């Protein structure tokens, strides 16, 4: 049975997380969060994890580990984390159903929180 996952990862994102972890001593995975900033109001953050925080939601896919900061869970519920290489940029991409708009450069987004009741129900179902 699958546990509750705030976000999902594509195979490309999982492969990139594994590459990051393999390149750094003591790394266990990455932590995804959000911060205020950019022209649209919010930016995604991706940080290296060496010592996971027990309060974070944990997602594992194809041997890659991603933790989600608790304060970001409402904004990231249902998000697919991908990794893309294009002529303009290389990096993680977040396909987020809670995103209401983005700035033209794609560096920041406007996010609305998911329904708290839906998050609680999804977590309860995932832990059943």
């Amino acid at each position: 049975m699958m546990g509750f996952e705030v976000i999902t990862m594509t195979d490309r994102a999982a492969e990139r997380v594994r590459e990051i972890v393999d390149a750094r001593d003591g790394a266990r995975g990455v932590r995804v969060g959000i911060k205020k900033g950019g022209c649209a109001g919010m930016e995604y953050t991706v940080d290296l994890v060496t010592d996971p925080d027990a309060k974070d939601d944990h997602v594992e896919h194809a041997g890659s580990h991603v933790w989600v900061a608790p304060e970001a869970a409402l904004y990231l519920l249902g998000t697919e984390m991908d990794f893309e290489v294009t002529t303009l940029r290389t990096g993680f991409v977040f396909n987020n159903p809670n995103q209401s708009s983005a700035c033209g450069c794609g560096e920041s987004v406007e996010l609305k929180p998911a329904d708290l009741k839906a998050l609680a129900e999804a977590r309860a179902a995932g832990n059943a």
Side-chain angles (χ1 to χ4, degrees), residues 7 30-34 44-47 49 66-70 72 76 81 94:
I7 66 172
V30 297
R31 183 177 201 245
V32 176
I34 53 169
Y44 296 105
T45 62
V46 179
D47 299 299
V49 172
V66 171
W67 284 269
V68 178
L76 296 176
M81 181 177 171
F94 298 92

Side-chain angles (χ1 to χ4, degrees), residues 6 9 31 59-60 68 76-77 86 96 126-127:
V6 172
M9 260 187 289
R31 183 177 201 245
V59 178
E60 189 272 335
V68 178
L76 296 176
L77 185 64
T86 68
N96 187 339
N127 293 329

